[in-house]
Amino acid sequence: MLRFWKERFKRGIVTENIEIDKELETLRKNLKDKIKKLFAGSLGIRMVDSGSCNACETECNALSNPYYDLERLGIHFVASPRHADVLFVSGVMTMNMYHHVWDAYNQVPNPKWVITLGDCTKDLGIFEKTYAIKGIDLKVDYHIPGCPPTPKDIIKGLIEFLEKIETESKN
Amino acid sequence: MRLIARFARENKDNFEIIDVFEQEIKKTQIDKKNPSVKTITDIYPAAIWMERKIKDEFGINFEDSFDERPLIKHEKFPKNIYPMRKNFTQKNIEFSEFEPYQYEEVKGEGVFYVPVGPIHAGIIEPGHFQFSQAGEDMLHIEVRHFYKYRAIEKMCENKTPLEIKKIVERISGNESIAYQICFFDILHQASEIEQSETYKRKTAILLEMERIINHLNDLGFIPNDTGFSPALAFMSQLAEDARRVLAKVTGHRFGFGAINEEMNYDFKPVFEFLNYLEEKMNFFENWIIDIPSLWDRFDTTGTLTKEKAVKYGVVGVGARSSGIKIDRRDNEWYKLHGFEIQLGKKGEVSDRFLQRIKEIKNSIEIIRNCKINNENKKIEFNYFKDGEYYSFTESSIGELFMYINIKNGLIDRFYVRDPSHINWQAFHTCIYKDIIADFPLINKSFDLSYAGNDL
Ligand code: SF4
């Protein structure tokens, strides 16, 4: 155990203040406040894969690594759609996943939002329509492009999404 | 004789079943009017999914098969269409009536069933596990997949080889580089170009980087599933470091498009990263070995016996940690570059965990031996000769097999057998002494692909 503590002190804190600080400084400052105001301090995301190549999920998992540490912003990936405010959807939406994704969507309590993740979810990205693909027909509130979007892209996308719904709630 | 793949294709006058074994390839012609052939599942149990898939896609019947349930055609997928036949060209089909799927279940007093999925609790691909339980004990588990079935094989047909490049890169995100290497190997074969030494080294470095990243992730997730999260924090940071190095060299965090005709890369960041990685790995190994509660969970859990692994033709980390010498890198070229096959003994979670540490160390060694001089030669693919091509690559999961048939310059049949397609099927053989709470741990120790399996 001693070895571990030594390594820990040597390493220090690695969480990055990524460029969003520079690029979107004001947003970053407001982000926690926004989540506090709009989502009582915690924004729950349920991720559903509707037929992806798994790179989009891998990048969402990376958001929990010590560099990004998404939880510090009050954003959590939750285990059940019933705990979620936002449904993240990745992939092309296959025939075989279609009803399951809709099930998950229906289980998210109102008010709810859908964010699509990755080029697959919009016009199938580089893929082509086949008989096995249905395509996403949920009402999408925000789209994060990229193949896959990097963790930074996802954080930025989330911030812009919050901006958007805040403006909408004011109107 | 190890079975690698069994798949079908349609010719003008007949169907053809191609059986790929380790030493030979067998072809069987089948009448189109009454398409039927004998099953081989009595000898090769891993042919079950392959045959069920062929039946769904081509409507070929397998005589004496003990399992005739649909595989890719789920509850609402129309059962009366055979979409891989050449005359099937529809791009849109309607859902049909719900037809319940008959799960394999163990019956008996006090036995109950736990269905899990297709959507799981974490950030993970969709698939379904049906457990037959007696209390906490798992009696049987049926793995059911193909939720992500995108019909990639059909998607690739009637295109030129280079047109499908972007699709091949994205079949399975975590094995993208391995897929690209297989694909480029076939492009080389079809253009009758020999792979240059520099090309071989460059692809080897990228492949080992992909392996390192995936193994690092697993080394974090496996302990995390026992509740030991510091390992995940440590390893997910290291995996991120490695991914950034890959992005720095190839311009993409997963290496999409990394294998191409130019590959004009500066590998310096990779070589610099190796020392840091080695130091961290040494620390990690010393530290993790000292945590007894972890090994309490790892040892004796999820045992894949050598006998079962051979029976199912298991490949990759799963096979090697049960002591089976299967690795597509086990050849002269790789050995010359420092490859040494790594083996476990008992096929338990602990073996698969340690296997990944050993393999990362060996990957470091291999990369170090792949010195790149500055020579850079663009590959010129001037033509692709019609014919059938076979290729193998050792992805981070295991042996990847790809088959392409080119006819009149276009792809007539594209087939892939992801290592997961075999290994998923051996899954139910390694749960018997374990309880349901061990399942996530066992699952993660294999770390199989859903996307690559479902295609
Ligand atoms: S958008 Fe790209 S990375 Fe994401 S699932 Fe689709 S192919 Fe994979």
Side-chain angles (χ1 to χ4, degrees):
Chain A
M1 261 300 124
L2 209 60
R3 248 195 317 249
F4 175 67
W5 286 101
K6 261 207 225 141
E7 169 76 17
R8 222 195 112 171
F9 284 120
K10 201 169 98 196
R11 200 181 275 226
I13 292 171
V14 296
T15 309
E16 287 176 343
N17 289 325
I18 44 184
E19 294 96 79
I20 47 172
D21 280 348
K22 276 177 250 139
E23 282 173 36
L24 306 156
E25 201 170 332
T26 36
L27 276 180
R28 165 80 172 76
K29 260 208 306 263
N30 294 337
L31 182 64
K32 258 196 175 158
D33 292 349
K34 273 204 189 89
I35 289 177
K36 200 167 171 187
K37 206 166 83 197
L38 296 166
F39 295 99
S42 117
L43 173 70
I45 301 177
R46 177 63 257 213
M47 169 116 212
V48 178
D49 169 355
S50 78
S52 80
C53 77
N54 198 33
C56 278
E57 285 69 38
T58 306
E59 292 297 52
C60 284
N61 268 319
L63 286 169
S64 310
N65 76 38
Y67 288 122
Y68 304 109
D69 194 14
L70 193 67
E71 298 242 345
R72 75 195 145 126
L73 305 175
I75 302 171
H76 320 275
F77 282 95
V78 294
S80 160
R82 302 206 185 189
H83 300 159
D85 305 291
V86 169
L87 196 70
F88 254 36
V89 185
S90 66
V92 294
M93 186 82 113
T94 61
M95 283 285 279
N96 287 342
M97 271 312 281
Y98 185 86
H99 295 98
H100 303 291
V101 176
W102 270 97
D103 271 355
Y105 173 81
N106 289 328
Q107 296 296 329
V108 181
N110 282 319
K112 58 185 158 194
W113 292 268
V114 173
I115 299 181
T116 47
L117 195 74
D119 296 347
C120 268
T121 54
K122 208 175 184 175
D123 316 323
L124 309 181
I126 60 98
F127 292 109
E128 273 174 30
K129 179 84 182 68
T130 67
Y131 57 86
I133 295 174
K134 271 281 166 197
I136 287 170
D137 60 355
L138 295 158
K139 189 187 150 291
V140 176
D141 298 286
Y142 194 81
H143 172 70
I144 304 177
C147 186
T150 64
K152 281 177 199 169
D153 295 336
I154 301 172
I155 295 179
K156 262 199 216 169
L158 279 171
I159 292 170
E160 279 163 29
F161 158 75
L162 289 168
E163 278 277 277
K164 187 181 159 214
I165 60 168
E166 195 188 27
T167 341
E168 278 169 7
S169 70
K170 274 191 198 132
N171 295 336
Chain B
M1 218 167 33
R2 181 167 66 90
L3 175 76
I4 291 171
R6 169 165 245 220
F7 61 101
R9 68 170 207 195
E10 181 176 342
N11 297 327
K12 211 165 130 262
D13 307 315
N14 56 9
F15 292 121
E16 190 170 309
I17 299 273
I18 303 179
D19 292 323
V20 182
F21 295 98
E22 200 162 22
Q23 319 290 358
E24 62 175 328
I25 291 162
K26 274 195 202 153
K27 292 182 175 178
T28 317
Q29 311 301 325
I30 297 172
D31 186 13
K32 262 191 185 172
K33 281 196 209 77
N34 178 25
S36 186
V37 67
K38 201 149 165 16
T39 182
I40 55 167
T41 49
D42 41 354
I43 307 165
Y44 302 104
I48 298 173
W49 281 13
M50 297 168 187
E51 292 185 356
R52 287 168 65 191
K53 186 163 180 268
I54 296 172
K55 190 170 179 228
D56 277 4
E57 293 180 332
F58 287 90
I60 296 172
N61 199 38
F62 289 90
E63 295 153 31
D64 305 329
S65 173
F66 61 87
D67 191 347
E68 301 200 325
R69 293 169 301 165
L71 186 77
I72 59 161
K73 293 173 176 171
H74 280 192
E75 283 88 348
K76 297 198 76 169
F77 203 105
K79 307 288 184 290
N80 57 352
I81 57 167
Y82 302 110
M84 281 300 283
R85 289 189 181 179
K86 292 286 179 200
N87 64 6
F88 185 91
T89 50
Q90 269 170 265
K91 297 253 187 262
N92 294 298
I93 48 176
E94 293 303 316
F95 290 113
S96 67
E97 280 294 300
F98 181 91
E99 259 181 65
Y101 182 79
Q102 292 295 322
Y103 283 97
E104 297 165 355
E105 282 165 350
V106 174
K107 302 224 164 16
E109 203 181 328
V111 177
F112 61 98
Y113 311 108
V114 182
V116 179
I119 301 179
H120 302 289
I123 306 175
I124 173 172
E125 302 178 81
H128 184 93
F129 304 105
Q130 180 95 357
F131 297 91
S132 297
Q133 291 285 129
E136 283 295 317
D137 293 331
M138 294 188 270
L139 301 180
H140 182 67
I141 161 186
E142 175 170 9
V143 178
R144 186 182 182 211
H145 280 320
F146 303 93
Y147 288 90
K148 305 178 81 166
Y149 174 63
R150 296 159 285 176
I152 298 269
E153 291 167 74
K154 186 86 174 186
M155 203 187 284
C156 289
E157 284 182 9
N158 295 324
K159 293 191 170 57
T160 65
L162 287 174
E163 273 168 355
I164 67 164
K165 185 171 174 293
K166 284 203 156 70
I167 298 174
V168 174
E169 283 161 14
R170 289 164 177 81
I171 291 173
S172 168
N174 298 330
E175 297 166 274
S176 176
I177 291 173
Y179 269 84
Q180 293 175 62
I181 291 175
C182 252
F183 178 62
F184 263 70
D185 178 30
I186 289 175
L187 294 187
H188 275 93
Q189 292 178 39
S191 328
E192 300 173 303
I193 297 175
E194 210 174 306
Q195 296 176 10
S196 72
E197 177 65 22
T198 325
Y199 172 83
K200 283 191 201 161
R201 290 188 181 185
K202 285 178 181 170
T203 49
I205 294 175
L206 294 172
L207 183 64
E208 295 316 306
M209 277 303 283
E210 184 174 77
R211 187 182 329 278
I212 287 170
I213 294 171
N214 288 328
H215 282 357
L216 288 174
N217 266 324
D218 294 333
L219 288 172
F221 278 119
I222 299 168
N224 191 53
D225 273 339
T226 72
F228 188 67
S229 55
L232 180 60
F234 186 94
M235 274 302 166
S236 61
Q237 187 195 343
L238 206 49
E240 175 74 20
D241 290 330
R243 208 179 276 299
R244 287 178 183 187
V245 170
L246 185 65
K248 206 165 168 191
V249 173
T250 67
H252 194 281
R253 283 166 56 88
F254 291 77
F256 288 6
I259 313 287
N260 54 49
E261 288 101 319
E262 315 228 339
M263 295 178 67
N264 196 359
Y265 299 137
D266 177 6
F267 284 103
K268 229 166 105 206
V270 172
F271 290 106
E272 284 166 5
F273 173 67
L274 294 183
N275 292 337
Y276 169 81
L277 175 67
E278 198 170 35
E279 185 204 322
K280 295 286 169 206
M281 284 306 295
N282 287 337
F283 166 78
F284 179 78
E285 197 178 2
N286 282 329
W287 168 50
I288 211 84
I289 296 279
D290 268 357
I291 297 166
S293 57
L294 262 189
W295 299 95
D296 265 1
R297 293 290 309 279
F298 285 3
D299 287 331
T300 71
T301 303
T303 315
L304 177 66
T305 60
K306 192 170 180 176
E307 188 199 347
K308 285 277 160 58
V310 170
K311 192 170 169 202
Y312 276 82
V314 171
V315 293
V317 172
R320 291 191 290 275
S321 36
S322 298
I324 302 171
K325 279 194 180 170
I326 300 180
D327 195 314
R328 281 284 159 183
R329 298 170 297 166
D330 196 1
N331 58 39
E332 279 315 305
W333 190 90
Y334 263 100
K335 279 187 197 153
L336 214 66
H337 291 79
F339 170 78
E340 259 179 65
I341 199 155
Q342 310 297 321
L343 297 174
K345 282 200 184 86
K346 293 193 272 184
E348 296 166 355
V349 170
S350 48
D351 291 277
R352 289 187 285 277
F353 183 80
L354 292 171
Q355 180 74 21
R356 292 180 202 278
I357 297 181
K358 288 188 268 185
E359 290 195 8
I360 289 177
K361 288 180 168 175
N362 193 224
S363 294
I364 295 176
E365 179 76 21
I366 296 170
I367 298 179
R368 282 202 176 123
N369 287 319
C370 287
K371 293 272 172 321
I372 306 286
N373 54 25
N374 283 333
E375 172 211 351
N376 197 54
K377 232 177 85 210
K378 193 172 182 273
I379 311 168
E380 306 266 1
F381 294 125
N382 292 320
Y383 61 91
F384 298 112
K385 215 169 126 196
D386 283 5
E388 290 177 277
Y389 303 96
Y390 300 79
S391 182
F392 301 90
T393 302
E394 190 70 27
S395 90
S396 56
I397 301 175
E399 173 198 65
L400 176 67
F401 164 63
M402 190 180 285
Y403 165 93
I404 296 181
N405 181 26
I406 306 176
K407 215 162 117 186
N408 304 324
L410 298 178
I411 288 171
D412 182 61
R413 179 80 169 97
F414 176 83
Y415 173 83
V416 162
R417 198 235 54 211
D418 194 273
S420 314
H421 195 57
I422 295 261
N423 289 8
W424 275 124
Q425 298 189 63
F427 228 63
H428 67 276
T429 67
C430 64
I431 53 148
Y432 290 114
K433 277 181 285 160
D434 303 312
I435 60 167
I436 195 163
D438 288 326
F439 181 72
L441 184 61
I442 301 171
N443 191 10
K444 201 64 217 176
S445 75
F446 282 96
D447 189 28
L448 304 178
S449 170
Y450 299 62
N453 174 70
D454 298 0
L455 289 176

